PDB file of all heavy atoms in Angstrom:
ATOM      1  N   GLU A 169      10.400 -25.440  19.241  1.00 96.00           N
ATOM      2  CA  GLU A 169      10.671 -26.530  20.174  1.00 96.00           C
ATOM      3  C   GLU A 169      10.619 -26.080  21.635  1.00 96.00           C
ATOM      4  O   GLU A 169      11.272 -26.661  22.500  1.00 96.00           O
ATOM      5  CB  GLU A 169      12.028 -27.149  19.841  1.00 96.00           C
ATOM      6  CG  GLU A 169      12.051 -27.797  18.463  1.00 96.00           C
ATOM      7  CD  GLU A 169      13.453 -28.126  17.982  1.00 96.00           C
ATOM      8  OE1 GLU A 169      14.407 -27.947  18.773  1.00 96.00           O
ATOM      9  OE2 GLU A 169      13.599 -28.533  16.817  1.00 96.00           O
ATOM     10  N   ASN A 170       9.823 -25.036  21.895  1.00 95.00           N
ATOM     11  CA  ASN A 170       9.625 -24.535  23.253  1.00 95.00           C
ATOM     12  C   ASN A 170      10.941 -24.112  23.903  1.00 95.00           C
ATOM     13  O   ASN A 170      11.178 -24.330  25.091  1.00 95.00           O
ATOM     14  CB  ASN A 170       8.928 -25.607  24.110  1.00 95.00           C
ATOM     15  CG  ASN A 170       8.236 -25.020  25.322  1.00 95.00           C
ATOM     16  OD1 ASN A 170       7.861 -23.841  25.340  1.00 95.00           O
ATOM     17  ND2 ASN A 170       8.068 -25.818  26.362  1.00 95.00           N
ATOM     18  N   GLY A 171      11.770 -23.485  23.088  1.00 97.00           N
ATOM     19  CA  GLY A 171      13.095 -23.102  23.549  1.00 97.00           C
ATOM     20  C   GLY A 171      13.106 -22.116  24.698  1.00 97.00           C
ATOM     21  O   GLY A 171      14.013 -22.149  25.543  1.00 97.00           O
ATOM     22  N   LEU A 172      12.121 -21.227  24.744  1.00 97.00           N
ATOM     23  CA  LEU A 172      12.091 -20.234  25.827  1.00 97.00           C
ATOM     24  C   LEU A 172      11.980 -20.908  27.189  1.00 97.00           C
ATOM     25  O   LEU A 172      12.692 -20.554  28.137  1.00 97.00           O
ATOM     26  CB  LEU A 172      10.928 -19.263  25.625  1.00 97.00           C
ATOM     27  CG  LEU A 172      11.109 -18.202  24.536  1.00 97.00           C
ATOM     28  CD1 LEU A 172       9.818 -17.421  24.335  1.00 97.00           C
ATOM     29  CD2 LEU A 172      12.257 -17.257  24.880  1.00 97.00           C
ATOM     30  N   GLU A 173      11.083 -21.900  27.302  1.00 96.00           N
ATOM     31  CA  GLU A 173      10.925 -22.596  28.573  1.00 96.00           C
ATOM     32  C   GLU A 173      12.162 -23.416  28.920  1.00 96.00           C
ATOM     33  O   GLU A 173      12.587 -23.462  30.083  1.00 96.00           O
ATOM     34  CB  GLU A 173       9.684 -23.495  28.533  1.00 96.00           C
ATOM     35  CG  GLU A 173       8.369 -22.745  28.661  1.00 96.00           C
ATOM     36  CD  GLU A 173       8.289 -21.915  29.939  1.00 96.00           C
ATOM     37  OE1 GLU A 173       8.631 -22.449  31.020  1.00 96.00           O
ATOM     38  OE2 GLU A 173       7.912 -20.730  29.853  1.00 96.00           O
ATOM     39  N   LYS A 174      12.735 -24.050  27.923  1.00 95.00           N
ATOM     40  CA  LYS A 174      13.935 -24.855  28.160  1.00 95.00           C
ATOM     41  C   LYS A 174      15.091 -23.973  28.614  1.00 95.00           C
ATOM     42  O   LYS A 174      15.846 -24.333  29.524  1.00 95.00           O
ATOM     43  CB  LYS A 174      14.307 -25.621  26.900  1.00 95.00           C
ATOM     44  CG  LYS A 174      13.294 -26.708  26.516  1.00 95.00           C
ATOM     45  CD  LYS A 174      13.676 -27.380  25.208  1.00 95.00           C
ATOM     46  CE  LYS A 174      12.645 -28.429  24.808  1.00 95.00           C
ATOM     47  NZ  LYS A 174      12.960 -29.050  23.486  1.00 95.00           N
ATOM     48  N   LEU A 175      15.219 -22.809  27.984  1.00 96.00           N
ATOM     49  CA  LEU A 175      16.292 -21.892  28.369  1.00 96.00           C
ATOM     50  C   LEU A 175      16.066 -21.366  29.777  1.00 96.00           C
ATOM     51  O   LEU A 175      17.014 -21.281  30.576  1.00 96.00           O
ATOM     52  CB  LEU A 175      16.365 -20.738  27.362  1.00 96.00           C
ATOM     53  CG  LEU A 175      17.391 -19.634  27.652  1.00 96.00           C
ATOM     54  CD1 LEU A 175      18.796 -20.203  27.753  1.00 96.00           C
ATOM     55  CD2 LEU A 175      17.327 -18.559  26.571  1.00 96.00           C
ATOM     56  N   LYS A 176      14.831 -21.032  30.079  1.00 95.00           N
ATOM     57  CA  LYS A 176      14.513 -20.529  31.421  1.00 95.00           C
ATOM     58  C   LYS A 176      14.891 -21.543  32.488  1.00 95.00           C
ATOM     59  O   LYS A 176      15.510 -21.205  33.513  1.00 95.00           O
ATOM     60  CB  LYS A 176      13.029 -20.196  31.512  1.00 95.00           C
ATOM     61  CG  LYS A 176      12.599 -19.613  32.846  1.00 95.00           C
ATOM     62  CD  LYS A 176      11.115 -19.272  32.835  1.00 95.00           C
ATOM     63  CE  LYS A 176      10.676 -18.702  34.176  1.00 95.00           C
ATOM     64  NZ  LYS A 176       9.219 -18.398  34.180  1.00 95.00           N
ATOM     65  N   LYS A 177      14.552 -22.799  32.262  1.00 94.00           N
ATOM     66  CA  LYS A 177      14.875 -23.854  33.233  1.00 94.00           C
ATOM     67  C   LYS A 177      16.376 -24.037  33.358  1.00 94.00           C
ATOM     68  O   LYS A 177      16.909 -24.243  34.459  1.00 94.00           O
ATOM     69  CB  LYS A 177      14.202 -25.159  32.825  1.00 94.00           C
ATOM     70  CG  LYS A 177      12.689 -25.149  33.006  1.00 94.00           C
ATOM     71  CD  LYS A 177      12.061 -26.451  32.566  1.00 94.00           C
ATOM     72  CE  LYS A 177      10.538 -26.414  32.736  1.00 94.00           C
ATOM     73  NZ  LYS A 177       9.909 -27.677  32.267  1.00 94.00           N
ATOM     74  N   ALA A 178      17.073 -23.958  32.227  1.00 93.00           N
ATOM     75  CA  ALA A 178      18.528 -24.107  32.258  1.00 93.00           C
ATOM     76  C   ALA A 178      19.175 -22.976  33.053  1.00 93.00           C
ATOM     77  O   ALA A 178      20.119 -23.193  33.818  1.00 93.00           O
ATOM     78  CB  ALA A 178      19.080 -24.146  30.838  1.00 93.00           C
ATOM     79  N   LEU A 179      18.654 -21.761  32.892  1.00 92.00           N
ATOM     80  CA  LEU A 179      19.208 -20.620  33.619  1.00 92.00           C
ATOM     81  C   LEU A 179      18.928 -20.719  35.108  1.00 92.00           C
ATOM     82  O   LEU A 179      19.724 -20.276  35.937  1.00 92.00           O
ATOM     83  CB  LEU A 179      18.638 -19.318  33.056  1.00 92.00           C
ATOM     84  CG  LEU A 179      19.088 -18.941  31.636  1.00 92.00           C
ATOM     85  CD1 LEU A 179      18.321 -17.733  31.140  1.00 92.00           C
ATOM     86  CD2 LEU A 179      20.577 -18.684  31.582  1.00 92.00           C
ATOM     87  N   GLU A 180      17.775 -21.301  35.449  1.00 90.00           N
ATOM     88  CA  GLU A 180      17.420 -21.447  36.860  1.00 90.00           C
ATOM     89  C   GLU A 180      18.346 -22.413  37.581  1.00 90.00           C
ATOM     90  O   GLU A 180      18.483 -22.371  38.805  1.00 90.00           O
ATOM     91  CB  GLU A 180      15.969 -21.913  36.991  1.00 90.00           C
ATOM     92  CG  GLU A 180      14.962 -20.825  36.659  1.00 90.00           C
ATOM     93  CD  GLU A 180      13.526 -21.328  36.606  1.00 90.00           C
ATOM     94  OE1 GLU A 180      13.339 -22.568  36.647  1.00 90.00           O
ATOM     95  OE2 GLU A 180      12.606 -20.498  36.513  1.00 90.00           O
ATOM     96  N   SER A 181      18.978 -23.314  36.832  1.00 87.00           N
ATOM     97  CA  SER A 181      19.912 -24.254  37.444  1.00 87.00           C
ATOM     98  C   SER A 181      21.288 -23.618  37.676  1.00 87.00           C
ATOM     99  O   SER A 181      22.213 -24.283  38.145  1.00 87.00           O
ATOM    100  CB  SER A 181      20.058 -25.502  36.577  1.00 87.00           C
ATOM    101  OG  SER A 181      20.688 -25.179  35.349  1.00 87.00           O
ATOM    102  N   ASN A 182      21.395 -22.330  37.308  1.00 73.00           N
ATOM    103  CA  ASN A 182      22.597 -21.524  37.558  1.00 73.00           C
ATOM    104  C   ASN A 182      23.873 -22.125  36.967  1.00 73.00           C
ATOM    105  O   ASN A 182      24.855 -22.364  37.674  1.00 73.00           O
ATOM    106  CB  ASN A 182      22.796 -21.310  39.065  1.00 73.00           C
ATOM    107  CG  ASN A 182      21.691 -20.488  39.672  1.00 73.00           C
ATOM    108  OD1 ASN A 182      21.293 -19.476  39.115  1.00 73.00           O
ATOM    109  ND2 ASN A 182      21.171 -20.927  40.821  1.00 73.00           N
ATOM    110  N   PRO A 183      23.862 -22.386  35.670  1.00 74.00           N
ATOM    111  CA  PRO A 183      25.115 -22.861  35.063  1.00 74.00           C
ATOM    112  C   PRO A 183      26.145 -21.740  35.048  1.00 74.00           C
ATOM    113  O   PRO A 183      25.804 -20.561  35.143  1.00 74.00           O
ATOM    114  CB  PRO A 183      24.686 -23.219  33.638  1.00 74.00           C
ATOM    115  CG  PRO A 183      23.528 -22.315  33.357  1.00 74.00           C
ATOM    116  CD  PRO A 183      22.808 -22.156  34.665  1.00 74.00           C
ATOM    117  N   SER A 184      27.392 -22.118  34.936  1.00 86.00           N
ATOM    118  CA  SER A 184      28.445 -21.123  34.825  1.00 86.00           C
ATOM    119  C   SER A 184      28.488 -20.628  33.387  1.00 86.00           C
ATOM    120  O   SER A 184      28.795 -21.395  32.467  1.00 86.00           O
ATOM    121  CB  SER A 184      29.793 -21.737  35.215  1.00 86.00           C
ATOM    122  OG  SER A 184      30.828 -20.803  35.066  1.00 86.00           O
ATOM    123  N   LEU A 185      28.159 -19.368  33.193  1.00 94.00           N
ATOM    124  CA  LEU A 185      28.067 -18.809  31.851  1.00 94.00           C
ATOM    125  C   LEU A 185      29.125 -17.726  31.646  1.00 94.00           C
ATOM    126  O   LEU A 185      29.385 -16.931  32.557  1.00 94.00           O
ATOM    127  CB  LEU A 185      26.680 -18.206  31.616  1.00 94.00           C
ATOM    128  CG  LEU A 185      25.485 -19.150  31.666  1.00 94.00           C
ATOM    129  CD1 LEU A 185      24.185 -18.358  31.590  1.00 94.00           C
ATOM    130  CD2 LEU A 185      25.558 -20.168  30.533  1.00 94.00           C
ATOM    131  N   PRO A 186      29.709 -17.636  30.453  1.00 96.00           N
ATOM    132  CA  PRO A 186      30.655 -16.556  30.175  1.00 96.00           C
ATOM    133  C   PRO A 186      29.922 -15.217  30.070  1.00 96.00           C
ATOM    134  O   PRO A 186      28.844 -15.136  29.485  1.00 96.00           O
ATOM    135  CB  PRO A 186      31.259 -16.950  28.827  1.00 96.00           C
ATOM    136  CG  PRO A 186      30.836 -18.361  28.564  1.00 96.00           C
ATOM    137  CD  PRO A 186      29.573 -18.576  29.332  1.00 96.00           C
ATOM    138  N   GLU A 187      30.526 -14.190  30.618  1.00 97.00           N
ATOM    139  CA  GLU A 187      29.977 -12.846  30.480  1.00 97.00           C
ATOM    140  C   GLU A 187      30.422 -12.250  29.151  1.00 97.00           C
ATOM    141  O   GLU A 187      31.528 -12.506  28.676  1.00 97.00           O
ATOM    142  CB  GLU A 187      30.424 -11.957  31.635  1.00 97.00           C
ATOM    143  CG  GLU A 187      29.751 -10.600  31.656  1.00 97.00           C
ATOM    144  CD  GLU A 187      30.070  -9.781  32.891  1.00 97.00           C
ATOM    145  OE1 GLU A 187      30.690 -10.331  33.830  1.00 97.00           O
ATOM    146  OE2 GLU A 187      29.710  -8.580  32.915  1.00 97.00           O
ATOM    147  N   VAL A 188      29.540 -11.471  28.544  1.00 98.00           N
ATOM    148  CA  VAL A 188      29.816 -10.817  27.273  1.00 98.00           C
ATOM    149  C   VAL A 188      30.086  -9.336  27.534  1.00 98.00           C
ATOM    150  O   VAL A 188      29.257  -8.657  28.160  1.00 98.00           O
ATOM    151  CB  VAL A 188      28.629 -10.976  26.289  1.00 98.00           C
ATOM    152  CG1 VAL A 188      28.930 -10.282  24.963  1.00 98.00           C
ATOM    153  CG2 VAL A 188      28.316 -12.453  26.066  1.00 98.00           C
ATOM    154  N   ALA A 189      31.193  -8.845  27.064  1.00 98.00           N
ATOM    155  CA  ALA A 189      31.561  -7.449  27.318  1.00 98.00           C
ATOM    156  C   ALA A 189      30.592  -6.486  26.647  1.00 98.00           C
ATOM    157  O   ALA A 189      30.023  -6.777  25.588  1.00 98.00           O
ATOM    158  CB  ALA A 189      32.974  -7.189  26.803  1.00 98.00           C
ATOM    159  N   ASP A 190      30.410  -5.337  27.283  1.00 96.00           N
ATOM    160  CA  ASP A 190      29.515  -4.306  26.736  1.00 96.00           C
ATOM    161  C   ASP A 190      29.994  -3.787  25.390  1.00 96.00           C
ATOM    162  O   ASP A 190      29.207  -3.199  24.641  1.00 96.00           O
ATOM    163  CB  ASP A 190      29.418  -3.122  27.711  1.00 96.00           C
ATOM    164  CG  ASP A 190      28.684  -3.488  28.981  1.00 96.00           C
ATOM    165  OD1 ASP A 190      27.987  -4.526  28.986  1.00 96.00           O
ATOM    166  OD2 ASP A 190      28.815  -2.743  29.972  1.00 96.00           O
ATOM    167  N   THR A 191      31.252  -3.971  25.084  1.00 97.00           N
ATOM    168  CA  THR A 191      31.824  -3.458  23.835  1.00 97.00           C
ATOM    169  C   THR A 191      31.541  -4.364  22.632  1.00 97.00           C
ATOM    170  O   THR A 191      31.777  -3.962  21.495  1.00 97.00           O
ATOM    171  CB  THR A 191      33.343  -3.293  23.988  1.00 97.00           C
ATOM    172  OG1 THR A 191      33.904  -4.540  24.416  1.00 97.00           O
ATOM    173  CG2 THR A 191      33.673  -2.207  25.005  1.00 97.00           C
ATOM    174  N   VAL A 192      31.033  -5.565  22.887  1.00 98.00           N
ATOM    175  CA  VAL A 192      30.766  -6.510  21.800  1.00 98.00           C
ATOM    176  C   VAL A 192      29.488  -6.099  21.066  1.00 98.00           C
ATOM    177  O   VAL A 192      28.475  -5.764  21.683  1.00 98.00           O
ATOM    178  CB  VAL A 192      30.623  -7.948  22.345  1.00 98.00           C
ATOM    179  CG1 VAL A 192      30.236  -8.918  21.234  1.00 98.00           C
ATOM    180  CG2 VAL A 192      31.927  -8.394  23.007  1.00 98.00           C
ATOM    181  N   ARG A 193      29.549  -6.125  19.745  1.00 98.00           N
ATOM    182  CA  ARG A 193      28.405  -5.755  18.910  1.00 98.00           C
ATOM    183  C   ARG A 193      27.177  -6.617  19.217  1.00 98.00           C
ATOM    184  O   ARG A 193      27.284  -7.822  19.430  1.00 98.00           O
ATOM    185  CB  ARG A 193      28.778  -5.909  17.434  1.00 98.00           C
ATOM    186  CG  ARG A 193      27.598  -5.775  16.472  1.00 98.00           C
ATOM    187  CD  ARG A 193      27.977  -6.149  15.046  1.00 98.00           C
ATOM    188  NE  ARG A 193      26.801  -6.139  14.173  1.00 98.00           N
ATOM    189  CZ  ARG A 193      26.012  -7.191  13.978  1.00 98.00           C
ATOM    190  NH1 ARG A 193      26.280  -8.344  14.597  1.00 98.00           N
ATOM    191  NH2 ARG A 193      24.972  -7.108  13.182  1.00 98.00           N
ATOM    192  N   LEU A 194      26.006  -5.984  19.199  1.00 98.00           N
ATOM    193  CA  LEU A 194      24.741  -6.701  19.268  1.00 98.00           C
ATOM    194  C   LEU A 194      24.176  -6.864  17.861  1.00 98.00           C
ATOM    195  O   LEU A 194      24.160  -5.911  17.074  1.00 98.00           O
ATOM    196  CB  LEU A 194      23.733  -5.952  20.129  1.00 98.00           C
ATOM    197  CG  LEU A 194      23.990  -5.922  21.635  1.00 98.00           C
ATOM    198  CD1 LEU A 194      22.923  -5.081  22.330  1.00 98.00           C
ATOM    199  CD2 LEU A 194      24.030  -7.321  22.220  1.00 98.00           C
ATOM    200  N   GLY A 195      23.704  -8.056  17.552  1.00 98.00           N
ATOM    201  CA  GLY A 195      22.979  -8.281  16.312  1.00 98.00           C
ATOM    202  C   GLY A 195      21.489  -8.223  16.558  1.00 98.00           C
ATOM    203  O   GLY A 195      21.027  -7.887  17.657  1.00 98.00           O
ATOM    204  N   SER A 196      20.713  -8.537  15.544  1.00 98.00           N
ATOM    205  CA  SER A 196      19.277  -8.695  15.740  1.00 98.00           C
ATOM    206  C   SER A 196      19.052  -9.745  16.821  1.00 98.00           C
ATOM    207  O   SER A 196      19.727 -10.776  16.840  1.00 98.00           O
ATOM    208  CB  SER A 196      18.611  -9.147  14.436  1.00 98.00           C
ATOM    209  OG  SER A 196      17.338  -9.699  14.687  1.00 98.00           O
ATOM    210  N   PRO A 197      18.094  -9.538  17.743  1.00 98.00           N
ATOM    211  CA  PRO A 197      17.884 -10.517  18.811  1.00 98.00           C
ATOM    212  C   PRO A 197      17.267 -11.831  18.345  1.00 98.00           C
ATOM    213  O   PRO A 197      17.241 -12.796  19.105  1.00 98.00           O
ATOM    214  CB  PRO A 197      16.950  -9.782  19.782  1.00 98.00           C
ATOM    215  CG  PRO A 197      16.285  -8.742  18.960  1.00 98.00           C
ATOM    216  CD  PRO A 197      17.275  -8.336  17.912  1.00 98.00           C
ATOM    217  N   VAL A 198      16.760 -11.874  17.123  1.00 98.00           N
ATOM    218  CA  VAL A 198      16.307 -13.138  16.551  1.00 98.00           C
ATOM    219  C   VAL A 198      17.064 -13.354  15.243  1.00 98.00           C
ATOM    220  O   VAL A 198      17.409 -12.404  14.542  1.00 98.00           O
ATOM    221  CB  VAL A 198      14.776 -13.158  16.306  1.00 98.00           C
ATOM    222  CG1 VAL A 198      14.031 -13.075  17.626  1.00 98.00           C
ATOM    223  CG2 VAL A 198      14.339 -12.046  15.374  1.00 98.00           C
ATOM    224  N   ALA A 199      17.331 -14.630  14.948  1.00 98.00           N
ATOM    225  CA  ALA A 199      18.004 -14.966  13.698  1.00 98.00           C
ATOM    226  C   ALA A 199      17.076 -14.661  12.530  1.00 98.00           C
ATOM    227  O   ALA A 199      15.871 -14.457  12.717  1.00 98.00           O
ATOM    228  CB  ALA A 199      18.403 -16.436  13.707  1.00 98.00           C
ATOM    229  N   ARG A 200      17.628 -14.641  11.335  1.00 97.00           N
ATOM    230  CA  ARG A 200      16.836 -14.265  10.167  1.00 97.00           C
ATOM    231  C   ARG A 200      15.542 -15.084  10.105  1.00 97.00           C
ATOM    232  O   ARG A 200      15.572 -16.305   9.995  1.00 97.00           O
ATOM    233  CB  ARG A 200      17.655 -14.463   8.893  1.00 97.00           C
ATOM    234  CG  ARG A 200      16.920 -13.941   7.652  1.00 97.00           C
ATOM    235  CD  ARG A 200      17.719 -14.167   6.389  1.00 97.00           C
ATOM    236  NE  ARG A 200      18.973 -13.416   6.413  1.00 97.00           N
ATOM    237  CZ  ARG A 200      19.896 -13.487   5.449  1.00 97.00           C
ATOM    238  NH1 ARG A 200      19.706 -14.286   4.412  1.00 97.00           N
ATOM    239  NH2 ARG A 200      20.996 -12.779   5.530  1.00 97.00           N
TER     240      ARG A 200
END
């Protein structure tokens, strides 16, 4: 659904986003 472009546009509007601590586990960057 063209999520990359939609996400890029949303980020450009500078929403207030929660920061994720460096200590939090990373999973696979894509879902199964």
Side-chain angles (χ1 to χ4, degrees):
E169 296 167 6
N170 201 25
L172 285 173
E173 284 303 313
K174 293 177 182 177
L175 177 58
K176 182 178 179 181
K177 289 179 181 178
L179 291 173
E180 287 172 350
S181 67
N182 295 315
S184 178
L185 297 173
E187 187 173 351
V188 180
D190 291 343
T191 55
V192 176
R193 170 189 174 271
L194 289 177
S196 162
V198 295
R200 186 181 296 177

